[in-house]
Amino acid sequence: MSNATVVQTNDNIFIGSDSATSAMLDGQLYRVDQKATKLYHFDNLVLFCSGNLNYCYDLVEEFSKEKFKDATVIRNLLITSHNGEEVDILLCEFKDNKSFVYQVSPYNDFEIVCFSDIPIGGVNVVTAGIKTKESYNLAYENLLEGKSVSDLYKSIFDGISYEGIGGTLTVYRLNESGVSKYLTHEITEKVELKTLSIRDVLNQFQMQLIVGERVYGKLFTGVNLALEDEDGVMRTQGSKTQIFDRNGELVMKLGLVDEKPDVFGLWSFNDVTRVKLDSTEGFVIDRASKDATAYPDGWEKLMWADPLDGTLYTKGLVAENIKIVNKVGKVILDAENNYLNIGDFNTIVMDNKLTSMEKMQIITELYKINSGYHRILEQAVEYQRSQRDDIFDMDAQFFAKTPSKIDLYSTTPLTDAYFALMTYISQYIEIITKDSPLNINVNSPMTDQTSEIPDRAEFILKFRTYYDEEINLRNKIEDAQFYSGLNMGQYYNNVVIGQYGFIALRDDGKYRSVLNATNGLALQKWENNKWANKVYGSIGNSSYEDGTLIAEDLVAKRLRIETKQGKVLLDAAALNFDFSVLDSIILDDVIMSTEKITLANKYKSITKQYITLEEQLDRYVTTIYSDRDSTYSGLDVAKTRLVSAGEDLTNTFNALTSYMAPVWADMNAKTHIVDDLHSTRDIFHAKWEDFYKAYEYGRSMLADFLEKSSLQLGRNYNNTVIDALNGVVVTRGNMMNKTTLNATYGIKIERNDGTAQSPSWYKTFYVDVDGNLFAEDMSTRRLRILDANLGDAIIFDWQDGITINGKRGEVIRLNANEGIDIKVNGEKRFWIHNDGTLRARKLIIEPDIDGELVLDEETDGYISDLMVNSLKAVERNGEKQDYVYIRNNFLKLNTGNSSKSDITKFMLLLNKEDSNSDYSYPEMIWGQGNGIGGNIGYIRKLPNAMQFQYTNDAGNMRALELNAAQGSAVKLYAVGGEVAVESDSKITLTCGSSSITLTPNGVKIVGTRIDLN
């Protein structure tokens, strides 16, 4: 009895079964042994056959003898040999890029049931034998949980094991790579397993491998599926498929690759490179970038199709050694050697005479000219009109067009030049017919005569004009050929390049390929009387972004994907040793002669791989490493690891070679691993596996060495990044400064005003692409700026400071020793002395008016519209003198040497009674005082009064006040002193009609009433 479980997708089949043999005794099932074979591998087929033991083995033996093996053959064998035996057949096959599972059994009248055409993303589970429902339910649950295939099979057979199912689980995998043994697992048995010795039942009971309960199967989609082997994992979740490498890193997405919005396609990527074929962007190759400003998503395009016009862009295109030749192979234009052939007349008619010998040379040249003339006219007629200008009916199933009537060029200039040459030369050589064909009378007396050439330049010009027109027409023909492209005047294998772009049509009119700026790239099918896109690059489609490549299926063979550092993400052609084949060979500890051939082929393959890799390792360790001016620690470590990997590779290969020598000694004899090699299966397996690991490690170390020994554009080397977009960018370790050199900015040094995590770059020094230098802070010992005549215009020197030279003898100097000095023709005009004083021979500040400047006649100076914060009118430096001092809101008349201790004898200022008030009043202070507030006079204009005050040395005030109020309108008073009013003629005090008059003659008092008290 037994169980077979099949997990089938569109491109993979997994089939697993156990090895238990059981028997029924008195209604009880017993385990007999666990050495039965249920699965058989034939070429690209895997056969599951179970039922009556002897019948199954006989049936499989007959099937193995058939030359052609398929489901029909096994069915015919069943029909002809079946005599009521219990038997069930499952046949798995992968062909035509699809998976097929066939089931044949007597209880289904030997009809072939086929499971195929599994949709992409779908999974079909088929279970056969006993416990089919239980195994199916376990398979379904494990798929929904997203378990890997190996875990799925282990879980199923550990869960359904009993007397009828157990022993060793074997799982085969079938896909486009062929058939391989995917898994071998010892099934977890029940603790109390009922067993019988084979001797007890050998002659009494019929042993069973399976009771054909039924075949249980169901196709379902939308579940999780994980397919894994030693090379990686493929996980499918509904419409999303992810592929992981050996290290568990996600390297590829299929189906729904992005969401919000949904994007379908294929993405393959690593830390450096990303390749995209999806419904939004079409075909794009990206490179990782750290420039978040220019590339917010972190990827820079390297190759892509412009969605606006369909142009395919790539960075860097070089064409070398362009040549143009005629039909006989003669070089007309050689761009590399700067060669252009227009004929050679340097030695003809040098003396303005055309000799008989020179005429013979010219006759030969004329025949060449005539031959070339007709040949180029034939070409001209062929390409004068282009099918590119034909009017095509692009909506028709087959090509239909109206011929063009547009001439791309004219042959008239060449014809005129040809006949002009022939007419001109006829005066020196007898030409019977000038064309069709050219006929020259060589025996004419004119040929034997030496002819005078009046104008040698005209003679050469006639030939040169023809040659120029021939070259010109030939260029136009080549332009027309280029313009016409593949058309060449007619269809060639249904391929046309024209106004509609590139079109290749299949003969039956069902399919065509289109490449143009309207549709982009499209593979189209003729459906419902119109062309429908099947695979195309979307342009102008409302559902997809321009440039999106849309395809229903994608198949890639011998695909190799590498990182920019040379690490292989996927390599279909790499060393891929199938250890399951090795394990099956050594399973019985015996290597048969046929198995030796298999091993020998494997050994031959890895020997070739070893020799190639060993040569590469040796070359890079020696030549490549030594051929450099310097090294660094990272490269030294990589070299040491590479040397170690090479030694390990050689040691493991030599060990394997030595170990296998007895096996190769006699290819026709079997070799016993224990008896002949004195070894074990584990050691045998380890010898091969050790070499495989050393080989993979060597390739990894070689990739690491290549990465560290070469410049990778866009890669950070000790904070230095070089790429095609940004040029050279060097960033300081603390992320506070950055230097950039490229063709966009020139040279720039930036300061980070932000943080290392969130930088804010500010340019402090840069040279733009026009050569202009900009700097905020710059230190230099000597800097010279030259004028147009390359003389010294401006000189910056650490000792002499700044020197500026004018056009008419002007020299301006600025330094710490001389201050600022302006001279004209050696004479001082303006300078700041080293004592800090500002000096000028003539200071003129011009007014903001038109007309000539009028200078003061006395001082010969003039200042207009002057505003200063402080002003001192000092004449002599350091000497005591009287001077005027103006500052802020005051004017002072001082005596002294312009220091803080100078004596102020008069001050005019604007004063405030309250510091918080906006109102100020004028005030004059007279005299230097006695130091304690005395002996000073004041004149103030207050808001409501005019005051004249004086304080004597004793501090007593004498004042005159003119007040705005009626009371005390005029007030005169003195403290601690007398008030005297004196006059030598008359003093009058008048109030209304009353008065007192004092004269030298007496006192007169006038009033209506006089009181004397």
Side-chain angles (χ1 to χ4, degrees):
M1 299 177 135
S2 188
N3 175 282
T5 299
V6 178
V7 176
Q8 179 187 13
T9 66
N10 180 265
D11 51 6
N12 276 280
I13 302 174
F14 296 87
I15 178 170
S17 185
D18 64 306
S19 63
T21 304
S22 58
M24 187 72 69
L25 177 61
D26 296 331
Q28 175 61 52
L29 190 66
Y30 292 90
R31 174 75 61 80
V32 178
D33 62 33
Q34 50 192 37
K35 298 182 179 180
T37 301
K38 317 289 182 66
L39 299 177
Y40 302 89
H41 174 202
F42 301 102
D43 298 327
N44 62 331
L45 305 174
V46 173
L47 175 69
F48 168 77
C49 181
S50 193
N52 180 274
L53 183 64
N54 293 326
Y55 180 74
C56 288
Y57 285 166
D58 292 340
L59 183 65
V60 173
E61 180 67 21
E62 290 299 320
F63 183 72
S64 66
K65 297 177 181 179
E66 296 291 333
K67 183 176 181 180
F68 300 102
K69 301 178 179 65
D70 58 17
T72 303
V73 173
I74 196 69
R75 176 179 180 271
N76 294 336
L77 290 174
L78 271 173
I79 293 175
T80 57
S81 64
H82 186 259
N83 191 22
E85 293 88 355
E86 290 182 343
V87 64
D88 207 342
I89 301 293
L90 287 179
L91 187 66
C92 300
E93 181 181 20
F94 188 89
K95 64 180 181 179
D96 300 330
N97 294 322
K98 289 198 299 184
S99 61
F100 296 85
V101 177
Y102 307 96
Q103 187 267 331
V104 185
S105 63
Y107 55 79
N108 198 30
D109 295 329
F110 303 107
E111 291 296 327
I112 299 175
V113 180
C114 178
F115 302 92
S116 186
D117 295 321
I118 309 301
I120 296 177
V123 182
N124 183 36
V125 175
V126 179
T127 57
I130 55 178
K131 292 203 174 186
T132 53
K133 187 172 183 178
E134 291 86 344
S135 61
Y136 171 79
N137 288 335
L138 285 172
Y140 186 80
E141 292 172 2
N142 281 276
L143 287 170
L144 286 177
E145 293 175 2
K147 286 188 176 181
S148 65
V149 175
S150 59
D151 290 341
L152 177 144
Y153 273 97
K154 292 176 184 177
S155 176
I156 291 174
F157 281 84
D158 287 345
I160 64 174
S161 67
Y162 77 121
E163 284 76 7
I165 300 174
T168 302
L169 166 65
T170 302
V171 181
Y172 281 91
R173 179 181 185 179
L174 299 87
N175 54 25
E176 65 176 3
S177 300
V179 180
S180 61
K181 187 175 289 185
Y182 179 76
L183 174 67
T184 301
H185 168 64
E186 297 300 322
I187 299 173
T188 303
E189 304 282 7
K190 292 176 57 178
V191 177
E192 298 178 356
L193 189 67
K194 297 178 177 63
T195 62
L196 282 177
S197 170
I198 192 170
R199 294 180 178 178
D200 297 333
V201 296
L202 185 59
N203 299 317
Q204 302 180 37
F205 301 100
Q206 187 181 58
M207 288 187 291
Q208 301 281 325
L209 296 179
I210 182 171
V211 175
E213 188 176 280
R214 61 174 167 167
V215 174
Y216 193 98
K218 182 178 181 182
L219 175 66
F220 56 94
T221 60
V223 300
N224 299 339
L225 173 65
L227 307 179
E228 70 169 338
D229 57 16
E230 65 276 6
D231 295 326
V233 179
M234 182 179 75
R235 178 179 297 164
T236 300
Q237 297 172 287
S239 61
K240 294 182 287 188
T241 299
Q242 297 175 320
I243 297 178
F244 300 82
D245 63 11
R246 296 184 182 92
N247 301 319
E249 296 292 332
L250 179 63
V251 296
M252 185 178 292
K253 292 183 179 181
L254 301 172
L256 182 62
V257 294
D258 202 2
E259 299 179 76
K260 296 180 181 180
D262 290 347
V263 179
F264 291 87
L266 180 149
W267 288 3
S268 178
F269 45 82
N270 53 44
D271 294 338
V272 179
T273 306
R274 179 176 68 182
V275 180
K276 299 169 65 176
L277 289 171
D278 61 35
S279 55
T280 301
E281 296 185 72
F283 173 69
V284 178
I285 297 178
D286 293 326
R287 173 176 62 194
S289 175
K290 295 182 180 180
D291 189 351
T293 302
Y295 311 106
D297 64 345
W299 294 98
E300 172 192 1
K301 286 184 178 180
L302 294 182
M303 182 177 183
W304 71 100
D306 190 329
L308 298 179
D309 57 14
T311 302
L312 182 65
Y313 289 92
T314 183
K315 295 187 176 179
L317 182 62
V318 178
E320 295 183 356
N321 198 18
I322 299 175
K323 292 184 179 180
I324 301 174
V325 299
N326 59 19
K327 286 187 176 180
V328 297
K330 183 178 180 181
V331 176
I332 296 173
L333 173 64
D334 187 343
E336 291 294 319
N337 298 311
N338 299 319
Y339 174 75
L340 178 63
N341 180 14
I342 61 171
D344 185 6
F345 294 97
N346 293 331
T347 61
I348 296 179
V349 297
M350 285 292 293
D351 54 357
N352 286 349
K353 296 182 183 296
L354 189 60
T355 66
S356 176
M357 185 62 68
E358 291 173 338
K359 287 183 179 182
M360 293 302 298
Q361 292 178 1
I362 291 177
I363 290 173
T364 302
E365 185 67 22
L366 290 177
Y367 276 111
K368 290 181 181 179
I369 289 174
N370 178 260
S371 177
Y373 169 70
H374 286 289
R375 187 165 58 248
I376 196 171
L377 283 183
E378 291 174 0
Q379 289 181 317
V381 172
E382 183 178 358
Y383 300 112
Q384 195 166 14
R385 293 184 179 180
S386 172
Q387 284 196 13
R388 177 173 178 176
D389 296 326
D390 292 352
I391 301 174
F392 288 91
D393 183 2
M394 290 304 165
D395 295 324
Q397 181 178 5
F398 295 92
F399 288 132
K401 66 170 184 174
T402 301
S404 169
K405 296 182 180 180
I406 301 173
D407 289 337
L408 299 179
Y409 48 79
S410 173
T411 60
T412 301
L414 179 66
T415 300
D416 292 344
Y418 173 81
F419 284 102
L421 173 62
M422 293 300 174
T423 301
Y424 175 81
I425 210 68
S426 295
Q427 59 184 315
Y428 308 112
I429 298 172
E430 183 179 352
I431 300 177
I432 300 174
T433 57
K434 300 178 181 178
D435 194 14
S436 301
L438 175 65
N439 188 0
I440 300 176
N441 185 5
V442 179
N443 298 319
S444 171
M446 294 179 64
T447 306
D448 297 331
Q449 297 174 0
T450 298
S451 303
E452 295 288 337
I453 305 298
D455 189 345
R456 179 174 177 270
E458 182 183 7
F459 180 90
I460 296 176
L461 181 62
K462 291 297 181 180
F463 282 91
R464 186 176 297 275
T465 300
Y466 172 79
Y467 290 135
D468 289 344
E469 291 299 336
E470 182 182 23
I471 293 173
N472 184 41
L473 182 58
R474 193 178 302 279
N475 290 337
K476 290 181 178 179
I477 293 174
E478 292 173 356
D479 291 341
Q481 291 173 334
F482 180 80
Y483 179 80
S484 299
L486 292 180
N487 285 358
M488 294 181 289
Q490 54 186 299
Y491 299 124
Y492 282 83
N493 196 25
N494 284 335
V495 176
V496 169
I497 292 181
Q499 184 177 1
Y500 195 72
F502 174 92
I503 304 175
L505 176 68
R506 209 165 80 169
D507 289 337
D508 60 1
K510 295 295 184 183
Y511 298 92
R512 73 178 185 181
S513 300
V514 177
L515 176 61
N516 59 31
T518 302
N519 291 69
L521 172 65
L523 301 179
Q524 300 175 330
K525 183 179 180 181
W526 183 259
E527 293 180 347
N528 301 322
N529 294 322
K530 65 178 182 179
W531 289 106
N533 290 331
K534 293 301 180 183
V535 179
Y536 64 102
S538 171
I539 294 180
N541 191 312
S542 59
S543 302
Y544 303 102
E545 182 180 348
D546 286 348
T548 301
L549 181 64
I550 302 169
E552 295 183 0
D553 297 301
L554 180 64
V555 178
K557 292 184 178 180
R558 298 176 184 174
L559 179 63
R560 179 182 177 92
I561 302 175
E562 295 184 356
T563 66
K564 194 166 186 179
Q565 292 75 29
K567 295 182 179 179
V568 178
L569 295 180
L570 178 63
D571 187 357
L575 179 62
N576 188 9
F577 191 87
D578 189 351
F579 284 98
S580 62
V581 176
L582 180 66
D583 292 338
S584 64
I585 292 175
I586 64 175
L587 184 62
D588 54 358
D589 288 336
V590 178
I591 306 174
M592 306 300 293
S593 59
T594 55
E595 295 173 333
K596 287 186 177 183
I597 295 175
T598 301
L599 288 175
N601 290 333
K602 293 289 186 182
Y603 179 79
K604 182 178 180 181
S605 175
I606 67 173
T607 300
K608 182 179 179 181
Q609 299 281 359
Y610 160 73
I611 293 174
T612 301
L613 182 59
E614 195 273 338
E615 290 176 351
Q616 290 177 332
L617 296 181
D618 182 68
R619 183 164 63 90
Y620 281 98
V621 165
T622 56
T623 305
I624 303 300
Y625 179 79
S626 302
D627 188 17
R628 60 182 65 250
D629 295 330
S630 64
T631 182
Y632 62 100
S633 58
L635 180 60
D636 295 336
V637 172
K639 184 246 187 181
T640 302
R641 292 177 178 174
L642 192 62
V643 172
S644 176
E647 294 172 350
D648 191 26
L649 177 68
T650 301
N651 292 337
T652 55
F653 179 79
N654 292 336
L656 176 62
T657 302
S658 176
Y659 182 82
M660 294 299 295
V663 178
W664 314 137
D666 189 351
M667 296 294 291
N668 296 319
K670 66 179 181 180
T671 300
H672 197 283
I673 295 177
V674 177
D675 298 336
D676 297 330
L677 298 182
H678 308 292
S679 183
T680 65
R681 280 180 292 173
D682 292 337
I683 296 175
F684 190 98
H685 184 281
K687 292 294 183 181
W688 291 82
E689 187 176 18
D690 288 345
F691 171 75
Y692 177 79
K693 291 179 179 178
Y695 179 86
E696 291 299 324
Y697 180 74
R699 290 206 316 166
S700 176
M701 291 301 98
L702 178 60
D704 181 61
F705 180 83
L706 290 174
E707 174 190 352
K708 290 181 170 58
S709 65
S710 60
L711 172 65
Q712 304 292 322
L713 295 181
R715 180 73 183 273
N716 191 311
Y717 291 91
N718 194 24
N719 291 332
T720 300
V721 178
I722 301 176
D723 60 44
L725 180 64
N726 300 307
V728 181
V729 180
V730 183
T731 306
R732 194 172 178 179
N734 60 2
M735 290 294 292
M736 291 294 104
N737 302 93
K738 180 171 65 176
T739 301
T740 302
L741 170 62
N742 58 38
T744 302
Y745 299 103
I747 304 173
K748 64 175 179 177
I749 300 176
E750 297 173 277
R751 180 185 67 238
N752 184 4
D753 292 336
T755 64
Q757 293 74 24
S758 180
S760 175
W761 297 106
Y762 177 76
K763 290 190 294 186
T764 58
F765 175 91
Y766 61 100
V767 181
D768 64 16
V769 293
D770 295 325
N772 299 315
L773 174 64
F774 303 88
E776 287 195 359
D777 301 301
M778 184 168 64
S779 300
T780 177
R781 285 185 174 273
R782 185 173 179 85
L783 176 63
R784 298 173 61 190
I785 300 176
L786 307 180
D787 58 22
N789 296 321
L790 301 182
D792 288 330
I794 303 176
I795 301 174
F796 296 86
D797 186 86
W798 69 275
Q799 186 173 10
D800 297 334
I802 302 173
T803 302
I804 303 174
N805 297 306
K807 296 180 179 180
R808 294 174 295 273
E810 302 94 338
V811 178
I812 302 176
R813 295 173 59 86
L814 170 62
N815 58 54
N817 298 321
E818 301 176 81
I820 300 175
D821 182 24
I822 300 177
K823 295 180 179 178
V824 178
N825 295 322
E827 296 182 2
K828 283 189 174 182
R829 295 299 176 87
F830 176 87
W831 69 101
I832 297 177
H833 199 60
N834 53 16
D835 60 2
T837 59
L838 177 65
R839 304 184 182 190
R841 292 285 169 87
K842 183 182 293 186
L843 179 62
I844 301 175
I845 300 178
E846 297 185 357
D848 190 14
I849 57 175
D850 295 332
E852 294 184 358
L853 182 65
V854 178
L855 302 179
D856 181 75
E857 294 182 356
E858 181 180 355
T859 64
D860 200 27
Y862 177 83
I863 296 179
S864 174
D865 298 332
L866 179 65
M867 178 181 291
V868 296
N869 292 327
S870 178
L871 176 63
K872 288 185 178 180
V874 178
E875 294 183 357
R876 300 175 302 278
N877 185 27
E879 296 183 9
K880 187 174 182 181
Q881 57 190 294
D882 296 329
Y883 64 92
V884 179
Y885 178 28
I886 302 174
R887 185 174 181 179
N888 294 334
N889 62 340
F890 63 79
L891 182 149
K892 294 182 179 180
L893 301 181
N894 291 348
T895 298
N897 56 4
S898 184
S899 65
K900 291 184 178 180
S901 60
D902 288 356
I903 298 173
T904 300
K905 297 182 177 180
F906 172 81
M907 183 166 63
L908 172 63
L909 73 158
L910 293 174
N911 204 346
K912 292 183 179 180
E913 292 182 349
D914 185 357
S915 60
N916 296 323
S917 173
D918 293 333
Y919 176 80
S920 61
Y921 60 88
E923 180 179 15
M924 291 184 182
I925 302 176
W926 302 74
Q928 69 185 60
N930 58 6
I932 56 174
N935 196 23
I936 298 177
Y938 300 90
I939 299 178
R940 301 185 183 94
K941 172 58 183 71
L942 300 176
N944 296 315
M946 181 71 177
Q947 293 183 345
F948 298 85
Q949 293 183 356
Y950 170 73
T951 303
N952 63 10
D953 289 332
N956 295 324
M957 180 184 295
R958 289 87 166 90
L960 171 64
E961 292 185 359
L962 306 178
N963 296 309
Q966 285 297 108
S968 301
V970 177
K971 182 179 180 181
L972 178 66
Y973 63 95
V975 177
E978 299 178 355
V979 176
V981 178
E982 295 183 1
S983 174
D984 60 351
S985 57
K986 184 178 182 180
I987 295 175
T988 302
L989 299 176
T990 302
C991 182
S993 58
S994 301
S995 65
I996 299 176
T997 302
L998 285 79
T999 64
N1001 298 323
V1003 177
K1004 179 181 180 181
I1005 299 175
V1006 177
T1008 58
R1009 179 180 176 180
I1010 299 173
D1011 294 327
L1012 298 174
N1013 187 6

